[in-house]
Amino acid sequence: MARLVIDPVTRIEGHLKIEVEVKDGKVVDARSTGALFRGFEMILNGRDPRDASQLTQRICGVCPTAHATASVRCLDSAFKVKPTTQGRLLRNLVFASNYLQSHILHFYHLAALDYVKGPETEPFIPRYEGDYRLDKATNDVAVGQYLEALKMRALAQEMVATWGGKMPHVAGFVVGGCTATPTAEEIETFKKKLAVVKKFVDQTYVPTVYLVAGAYKDLFGVGAGCKNLISHGVFPLDDDDKTFLLKPGTFTQGKDFEFDPKEIREFVKYSWFDDKTTGLNPRVGKTIPAPGKKNAYSYVKAVRYKGLPHEAGPLARVWISNPVLSKNANKFLGLPADKEIRFRDLGDKAFSILGRHAARAEEAAIVAAAMEKWVAELKPGVSGAQEVKVPVSGEGAGFSEAPRGALSHWITIRDKKVANYQVCSATIWNACPRDDKKVPGPLEQALIGTPVPDIDNPLNVVRVVRAFDP
């Protein structure tokens, strides 16, 4: 039995420690540790509720737009207001621009270097050695796309800032809508930038994911995880939140169900939080740190739905919505180009390292296509904001999807101030520790069984972790 500690895991969008026990060349136990205390819930107590949509963006420098979205939806709920059509479209376009940036970032600049061997220079080194299978010509093409992807990310960030005001940490998202008033010139410029990024997604990103997958087909059988999935839904298609581009729902123990937020609970037996807060729904949740607590090993709470761990993220969203896949999937699977394939046709292959990458790439194409429709619906000269009043008291919850998974914000207002605020973020779903019943979280479960032929170069371990984009 060998014990392997990776601390920190590099090329992820935060701070994470992974410990695994390896026996006979496979992982037999795993622990995921979030070693940084967040505390934004405590910062918000006593403040004007409208501060939440700005302050909570600082939870994450790379996906602040996701927190802005969940926060303003939470405030909409508590203030009892609905965004106008213009406000909804602007929010969707700003947030979707960040989605494209994040998905391109994840594949090309975080995860792809586990499959593509770059030159012996930064940022391609240091790296684990060993299992790189691409032929030189294919590998060189993929390395070249690394720089092109940087340009696409820059364009997408400019798109975020067009109506978000700036990036990171957009200023334009407010309760009731978005403060921007798009001009005809801005709309045309946005369309041109979107066309460039969409072309890259459709003609470069998605095909390259399947091209790389072709050399690593065995990884469709690695990293299955818990196979329970959850989506809060993202990108509303109507002003009453009845339909979404990627719909809410759960896939629990092999069956589809509607999403019910009352079924969420957060457990802390193995987290550095006070035990009296365990098992609470975030609506009444408490953030009381307990550093040094015996047997605890993470500042991430163990969130559960109907008492079970659920994976969140592109795999969950795309499985639950089950869209038609791109023709790249047909070619990869050796099927006729005119045959319609939906994501669930991948079967168990979807629950894997490469299944998660395929889901993310396909989702990027879906989002980019939807953005063309949304920007065409914008009305020049019309503001996306409206006047609102802070209620004396109220409760609200905002549900959305960060690029890496299900995200919810919860608020209680008393005397026009925040009395309680809770954030249940994407990485809490995936990278959480064991719960009070000692059941491992989704990432921990996905790691168990992972092949580690060389303990000094645990490529498959980091491949599993990075596929979740924690």
Side-chain angles (χ1 to χ4, degrees):
M1 185 88 73
R3 178 173 173 266
L4 174 64
V5 179
I6 306 174
D7 183 19
V9 178
T10 57
R11 283 193 278 115
I12 64 171
E13 301 181 2
H15 305 270
L16 192 67
K17 170 185 174 183
I18 294 294
E19 298 179 71
V20 295
E21 300 285 345
V22 180
K23 183 179 180 181
D24 299 329
K26 287 189 176 182
V27 174
V28 294
D29 196 14
R31 285 194 170 192
S32 170
T33 297
L36 291 181
F37 173 63
R38 183 173 67 207
F40 275 79
E41 295 88 345
M42 300 163 71
I43 293 170
L44 283 164
N45 282 336
R47 299 187 70 106
D48 187 312
R50 293 168 295 185
D51 291 347
S53 60
Q54 289 301 311
L55 293 181
T56 57
Q57 290 187 64
R58 272 70 185 173
I59 289 172
C60 182
V62 78
C63 60
T65 317
H67 285 286
T69 300
S71 185
V72 292
R73 287 176 63 82
C74 176
L75 296 176
D76 290 344
S77 172
F79 283 46
K80 292 181 171 51
V81 299
K82 293 180 182 179
T84 61
T85 300
Q86 187 84 335
R88 171 178 58 83
L89 291 170
L90 287 168
R91 283 185 184 178
N92 277 358
L93 287 164
V94 171
F95 191 18
S97 298
N98 183 233
Y99 249 70
L100 297 184
Q101 186 278 148
S102 185
H103 283 0
I104 293 169
L105 160 66
H106 174 257
F107 180 69
Y108 282 100
H109 304 129
L110 302 180
L113 300 185
D114 293 334
Y115 313 92
V116 178
K117 194 167 186 178
E120 300 298 317
T121 183
E122 294 181 345
F124 302 101
I125 58 172
R127 60 170 174 254
Y128 291 127
E129 297 298 334
D131 183 28
Y132 294 94
R133 309 177 194 173
L134 297 181
D135 62 80
K136 186 179 185 304
T138 304
N139 193 84
D140 289 349
V141 168
V143 171
Q145 291 175 6
Y146 184 99
L147 297 176
E148 187 181 1
L150 287 172
K151 297 177 182 178
M152 295 304 108
R153 286 177 55 201
L155 274 179
Q157 298 289 53
E158 290 173 10
M159 290 159 61
V160 173
T162 301
W163 295 309
K166 61 189 182 73
M167 182 64 188
H169 310 132
V170 299
F173 278 20
V174 293
V175 55
C178 178
T179 59
T181 302
T183 65
E185 182 180 6
E186 286 174 343
I187 292 172
E188 288 307 308
T189 300
F190 188 96
K191 286 180 179 178
K192 291 177 181 178
K193 292 178 179 179
L194 173 59
V196 174
V197 177
K198 184 178 184 298
K199 181 180 179 181
F200 177 83
V201 169
D202 292 340
Q203 299 183 17
T204 302
Y205 172 27
V206 178
T208 300
V209 167
Y210 285 106
L211 185 65
V212 170
Y216 295 90
K217 288 186 177 180
D218 56 305
L219 297 185
F220 277 107
V222 177
C226 62
K227 292 189 176 180
N228 296 322
L229 306 171
I230 189 166
S231 169
H232 293 343
V234 65
F235 302 121
L237 300 180
D238 63 83
D239 297 340
D240 294 317
D241 272 3
K242 291 182 178 179
T243 56
F244 293 82
L245 179 66
L246 295 154
K247 67 182 184 180
T250 74
F251 184 75
T252 305
Q253 297 183 319
K255 296 181 180 180
D256 292 295
F257 297 94
E258 292 186 1
F259 167 59
D260 181 359
K262 294 191 292 295
E263 295 289 349
I264 299 174
R265 294 289 185 276
E266 294 180 307
F267 297 91
V268 301
K269 182 175 181 178
Y270 293 96
S271 306
W272 288 307
F273 293 97
D274 194 309
D275 283 335
K276 68 184 179 184
T277 68
T278 201
L280 298 177
N281 180 269
R283 185 183 70 82
V284 293
K286 301 295 180 185
T287 302
I288 305 175
K293 190 177 83 174
K294 186 178 180 181
N295 296 324
Y297 62 93
S298 183
Y299 269 122
V300 177
K301 297 178 181 179
V303 64
R304 298 292 184 262
Y305 184 84
K306 292 188 176 180
L308 300 170
H310 280 66
E311 177 177 340
L315 169 58
R317 290 190 294 266
V318 178
W319 182 273
I320 289 168
S321 290
N322 198 27
V324 175
L325 298 183
S326 67
K327 296 308 177 185
N328 298 283
N330 292 57
K331 184 177 180 181
F332 174 75
L333 295 170
L335 298 173
D338 60 350
K339 181 176 176 60
E340 185 176 277
I341 305 172
R342 292 189 175 271
F343 189 73
R344 292 197 186 188
D345 291 334
L346 292 177
D348 284 343
K349 288 183 179 180
F351 299 92
S352 67
I353 294 173
L354 292 181
R356 293 182 182 95
H357 285 297
R360 191 179 301 271
E362 294 282 358
E363 181 178 69
I366 292 167
V367 170
M371 292 173 71
E372 289 184 321
K373 299 177 182 178
W374 297 331
V375 72
E377 294 175 22
L378 283 179
K379 296 181 178 179
V382 176
S383 173
Q386 58 181 303
E387 290 188 16
V388 298
K389 293 182 178 180
V390 179
V392 174
S393 62
E395 287 187 355
F399 301 94
S400 190
E401 289 281 322
R404 57 208 43 81
L407 174 63
S408 58
H409 285 218
W410 311 66
I411 192 171
T412 299
I413 300 170
R414 295 194 188 100
D415 298 324
K416 296 188 176 183
K417 302 293 183 183
V418 175
N420 191 30
Y421 201 97
Q422 294 293 304
V423 176
C424 187
S425 66
T427 296
I428 285 179
W429 285 99
N430 290 334
C432 58
R434 286 155 171 74
D435 58 28
D436 291 16
K437 297 178 181 178
K438 299 185 179 181
V439 178
L443 174 54
E444 294 177 333
Q445 291 191 38
L447 284 166
I448 295 171
T450 296
V452 187
D454 180 0
I455 196 72
D456 294 321
N457 290 286
L459 258 175
N460 285 334
V461 172
V462 292
R463 283 169 173 166
V464 171
V465 173
R466 291 184 184 126
F468 281 88
D469 191 21

